[in-house]
Amino acid sequence: MPTVRDTIAAIITAHAAAPVGIVRVSGPDAFSIGGRVFRGSGFNAAHAESHRIYYGHVHHPQTQEMLDEVLLLTFRRPRSYTGEDTIELSCHGGTYVLGQVLSAVLTAGARHAEPGEFTLRAFLNGRMDLAQAEAVADLIQARSARALRSALQQREGFLSRRIAALRRQALEAAATIEAWLELDEDESPPDAGSLRASLSQCAASIESLLRTSEVGKIVREGFRIAIVGRPNVGKSTLLNALAGRDRALVTPTAGTTRDVVSDTITLGGFNLTLYDTAGIRPAKGMVEEAGIQRAIEMASQADGVLFVLDARRGFTTGDQAVLQSINRPLIAVLWNKRDAVPESRLRKLLDTQIATNDVTPVLTVSALTGAGLDVLESVLNQHVRQASESSENEIVVRERHAEALRRALESLQASFRHLEGSDEIVLAAEELRRASDHLGAIIGETTSEDVVREVFARFCLGK
Ligand SMILES: Nc1nc2c(ncn2[C@@H]2O[C@H](COP(=O)(O)OP(=O)(O)OP(=O)(O)O)[C@@H](O)[C@H]2O)c(=O)[nH]1
Ligand SMILES: [Mg+2]
């Protein structure tokens, strides 16, 4: 990990024309670089205070050409995002203007920042731990209320504090065991009961965090729903109706959809990505065959499935075959085209035995008129809400954390075993220290350099 710091710079706002764009400069020379490119009232690179705003202009340090009218913001270390001296140039947000200002700053002595490098420095300077740094990326990528909430909590250190407490518990237990080893033969043997209780509580807590990792994926990436059924039942019409726009091609010809077509909607604070798929039947030709393959693949990767039936046709052997191919949780069975059949028939259809478990809701809808879609939306909402409920309030761990938690749990269980066979209790203490190290990897205290690099490499440029 780099310890000697050069001064880095990057455009930290979106790379698209916007009213305002910001160039950040961070490192020991940030202020003097500011002095080389910025001319404005009252700014003195050596004496400028922290948390001030100066109005002025950026000039190219070699050509002296004026490049933009800007506001310069100052942050003295350690009171900055990175923990280093930092200036930010708030410019007009044209991509060309920003490129010119950045190039002036680079000419004045800064180096272009790597993706994630500002946050990496914040981590190395102790401004945040690794889990909090990851939460910064989650915050930027959050596309729903739930994702935002959990990212914010993690940024505030919720998960970090839990992990730190677990580590403390493991280390204290290790120290207790090591103290036993120092006891003389004639001293009375220690009571291992309270130690075991503390360790099982620790294990339970880790298991509880682990259970949030499935949910974490849904919260971060959204819930994926495959719309599945025979050809012509109205799957594409349903996607369009739910998405509120014409995403997928609809025709009266069976076998219209070939590629998987998707659209993302937000419902009750969650992101739902809907996948419209090819109607499943014995294929007529290679192209349809390939489309059906994709449909089946999509349905087997989704977090949930909507199974669509045609109310005009009733439950056919073709539908039965489709149903049997579904191997992911069925969110609802939909009798579509209810506008095209009389009420009495609808009642009969709802009585039809469809071999699903009893809890799957069966609804009648019309993708064409929109009838019944409100009920469908609340069923979807409820399903996703349940699927993303976590025993841990807002905490949801990512796969990297889950991996570390699994290892910590294994070490904890090993220490239990060593405690049982009492001549091996020194090994029990060792395993507990190992558990603590695995936990430390989550917050970056015992994380290998490679893993830290990997975490920050996934950040976007300028963060
Ligand atoms: N009356 C009525 N017609 C519908 C409804 N939903 C779809 N349709 C019609 O049914 C036909 C097929 O609709 P699609 O949405 O293309 O059906 P699909 O399931 O995507 O079909 P494939 O892509 O071939 O698998 C079209 O003519 C639609 O207008 C509905 O709720 N009521
Ligand atoms: Mg279709």
Side-chain angles (χ1 to χ4, degrees), residues 231-237 251-252 254-257 279 336-337 339 366-368:
N232 214 242
V233 295
K235 300 178 296 299
S236 301
T237 312
T251 76
T256 301
T257 305
N336 187 35
K337 310 194 184 182
D339 58 288
S366 168
L368 197 66

Side-chain angles (χ1 to χ4, degrees), residues 230-237 248-251 253 255-259 261 276-279:
R230 272 191 311 107
N232 214 242
V233 295
K235 300 178 296 299
S236 301
T237 312
L249 193 65
V250 169
T251 76
T253 313
T256 301
T257 305
R258 300 290 167 89
D259 268 328
V261 180
D276 173 30
T277 62

Side-chain angles (χ1 to χ4, degrees), residues 385-428:
R385 196 172 292 277
Q386 261 167 20
S388 60
E389 238 163 42
S390 111
S391 47
E392 288 289 341
N393 209 359
E394 300 301 340
I395 293 181
V396 288
V397 302
R398 56 173 63 239
E399 190 42 41
R400 190 182 76 78
H401 304 163
E403 188 55 44
L405 287 168
R406 278 192 283 270
R407 289 187 186 174
L409 194 60
E410 272 168 28
S411 293
L412 214 58
Q413 282 156 349
S415 83
F416 260 117
R417 284 195 298 275
H418 291 310
L419 273 177
E420 299 300 319
S422 52
D423 46 319
E424 307 231 60
I425 61 171
V426 62
L427 297 178

Side-chain angles (χ1 to χ4, degrees), residues 65 103 200 206 227 311 387 400:
E65 184 192 352
S103 127
S200 13
I206 291 176
I227 304 174
R400 190 182 76 78

Side-chain angles (χ1 to χ4, degrees), residues 165-392:
L166 287 169
R167 285 190 85 193
R168 227 172 10 252
Q169 223 172 338
L171 289 175
E172 274 167 16
T176 306
I177 294 169
E178 281 153 1
W180 292 350
L181 295 168
E182 306 288 312
L183 292 178
D184 289 333
E185 291 282 313
D186 53 344
E187 286 178 84
S188 56
D191 165 31
S194 68
L195 183 88
R196 284 215 191 85
S198 156
L199 291 184
S200 13
Q201 194 221 337
C202 200
S205 188
I206 291 176
E207 280 165 350
S208 165
L209 284 174
L210 265 173
R211 279 194 295 273
T212 69
S213 77
E214 276 274 302
V215 172
K217 202 166 167 311
I218 293 173
V219 167
R220 261 187 294 276
E221 294 166 25
F223 197 86
R224 294 168 309 159
I225 297 170
I227 304 174
V228 174
R230 272 191 311 107
N232 214 242
V233 295
K235 300 178 296 299
S236 301
T237 312
L238 180 69
L239 172 80
N240 293 345
L242 289 172
R245 62 189 183 130
D246 246 352
R247 269 302 274 124
L249 193 65
V250 169
T251 76
T253 313
T256 301
T257 305
R258 300 290 167 89
D259 268 328
V260 176
V261 180
S262 70
D263 207 56
T264 300
I265 60 171
T266 46
L267 201 66
F270 291 95
N271 261 323
L272 271 57
T273 304
L274 303 164
Y275 296 89
D276 173 30
T277 62
I280 297 172
R281 65 174 172 187
K284 299 190 176 117
M286 239 166 59
V287 185
E288 187 176 5
E289 169 96 49
I292 292 172
Q293 262 319 312
R294 287 190 179 193
I296 292 170
E297 249 164 59
M298 187 61 236
S300 65
Q301 288 165 11
D303 299 308
V305 175
L306 289 175
F307 178 37
V308 187
L309 298 164
D310 186 338
R312 289 191 303 208
R313 303 281 298 269
F315 194 68
T316 66
T317 50
D319 294 318
Q320 181 62 39
V322 174
L323 182 62
Q324 269 159 0
S325 76
I326 296 173
N327 59 6
R328 299 293 297 153
L330 200 54
I331 303 173
V333 177
L334 306 175
W335 286 107
N336 187 35
K337 310 194 184 182
R338 79 177 213 193
D339 58 288
V341 299
E343 195 65 29
S344 56
R345 179 165 168 78
L346 280 184
R347 275 195 296 276
K348 244 185 239 141
L349 289 174
L350 285 174
D351 286 338
T352 311
Q353 278 301 313
I354 298 170
T356 63
N357 59 28
D358 291 340
V359 293
T360 307
V362 181
L363 314 176
T364 63
V365 297
S366 168
L368 197 66
T369 67
L373 293 186
D374 50 344
V375 181
L376 172 59
E377 283 182 357
S378 64
V379 165
L380 282 175
N381 195 2
Q382 203 185 343
H383 188 93
V384 179
R385 196 172 292 277
Q386 261 167 20
S388 60
E389 238 163 42
S390 111
S391 47
E392 288 289 341

